[in-house]
Amino acid sequence: MTAFLKVLWKLKNGIILFSTPFLLLPLPLLIRTMEADCAYVIMLMAVYWCTEALPLAVTALLPAVLFPVFGIMRSKEVCLQYLKDTNMLFVGTLVVAVAVEHWNLHKRIALRVLFLVGDRPAFLMLGFMCVTAFLSMWISNTATTAMMVPVVQAVLMQLHNREEEVPEHLTVEGEQEYGKQRELVVVNGSGVYEEAMPFEEAAEKRRICKGMMLSVCYAASIGGTATLTGTGPNLVLQGQVNQLFPKNGDVINFASWFGFAFPNMILMLFMAWFWLQFIFMGMNFRKSWGCGVRKSDKEVTAHRVVRDELRRLGPMSFGEGSVLALFLLLVLLWFTRDPGFTTGWARSLLSDNAGYVSDATVAVFIAVLLFILPSKAPRLSLYSPCPDTGSQISASPSVLLTWKVVQDKLPWNIVLLLGGGFALAKGSEVSGLSRWLGIQLMPLQNIPPWATVIILCLLISIFTEFTSNVATATLFLPILASMSQSIGLNPLYVMVPCTLSTSFAFMLPVATPPNAIVFSYGCLQASDMAKAGIVMNIIGILCCTLAINTWGSAVFVLDSFPTWANITRV
């Protein structure tokens, strides 16, 4: 029986792949409406996305096949959804993020901040969280976590090392190898030396290790919510709002989203810091914060690790400085394109054509510059003598970024995943399925709006623990838009906090890549993540509810039902 179950488990993807279409087939056969046909496609994709029987990007391509077959949309109409303005914004931003990683700029920023925050456990955790959150605002959460965890491990090794000091000349990577070569007792994989260590002290060091590791993955998920390009669901929201409500007046752009989400991110980050302090380090301010306590040799050594790593990076190179300048220019252009409270550069420079420019235009422009600008400071002479003939030949300077690097590092699958989401939203709109679902949810109008937000955010935060956050946003946002229209509620009042909730995957190791990365280091158990994560989910939902009912109402003008949402579906 056991052997049979093992074989069945190995074949589960194939079983799901072939059985799901037939099990769902009665829906379009018995209910011969376009809404039922569209529901069949969405349910099929939802099963594939949740189980990952097919790669997520491949599942996202199914509308290009099934919508024309069921007569929901023409093929050329479906295919147009796969490369919209939002996709180009995502691609341009990712190219800039690849350049930041390629030039190691993110590591310099991380080490510089850690060097400044100090070496007390509480301040170290705050430093790790602030750095991780900031970096995940601009580059992928996965890359940020993968870079930060080895730094955390190196610092923890210095804090916990009892028997001997790691040689100063070792880098973070070398220090890890050095740790593997020594004979030591590993406590849950945390690299803590426990020979002759009292039980209470060993338990305390295990808790600190768990708290530090969780702080990184939680900060990565929280930080990605602060910017429009920080994580996929934010772009799904922008794309679907523009698609479902084409006359919305660019209500979701980089500046407006940042004005709402950044304060929420700061609030969540500090509440997460206090919660992790409480659950793993206690509230002994004298010990954790170092109030009136002299620094120990271990803490000084840990500080030296960060200082030496920063010193080994050397001075900032011309190429690194150029990437930093382009990155700052990108952010500046995003903020000043249409800030809302004053006339932006788009209207000042382009006047009547200002509406033709979007955040994607800026992102692609900066991305193109990365392939043009040189990586080394230009010299007065652009020619160098040929070694054989002594003649002058043109020197071809290397550029900041090459296409080969982009091909290797850019996650193209997310572009298809976003496109599949836009195709689903369009199909739901054309078929009338979104309107039908909205009508079914009309009883929610008897519940206070703030309670509706809490219920929906709780539902989505649970759902996103088991499936991709982009897939979750793709499935729910069109339904939430139609529901809001049906009950006369501003769609953004529900869609914005629910979009944030798709990033609140804090409980399970497999819920999101940052969780999986820190869990793979062996310091954490699933119960540790679940215990800390359930409160983190509650913190996230409460913060979103507070934000959308306070400053969010001013940013998005949520006090009344907008005219751009008053659309009659055919």
Side-chain angles (χ1 to χ4, degrees), residues 455-517:
I455 293 170
L456 292 174
C457 287
L458 180 61
L459 172 65
I460 289 176
S461 65
I462 293 173
F463 192 84
T464 197
E465 295 283 353
F466 304 96
T467 188
S468 159
N469 56 356
V470 176
T472 303
T474 298
L475 292 171
F476 278 93
L477 287 181
I479 300 172
L480 297 177
S482 295
M483 179 209 72
S484 302
Q485 287 178 286
S486 300
I487 64 178
L489 191 63
N490 191 314
L492 297 182
Y493 184 82
V494 176
M495 296 175 75
V496 168
C498 287
T499 298
L500 291 177
S501 297
T502 62
S503 297
F504 299 161
F506 299 123
M507 290 179 59
L508 300 179
V510 296
T512 187
N515 291 13
I517 290 172

Side-chain angles (χ1 to χ4, degrees), residues 361-378:
T361 312
V362 176
V364 173
F365 169 67
I366 298 297
V368 170
L369 289 181
L370 289 167
F371 296 94
I372 298 175
L373 298 181
S375 61
K376 296 181 180 179

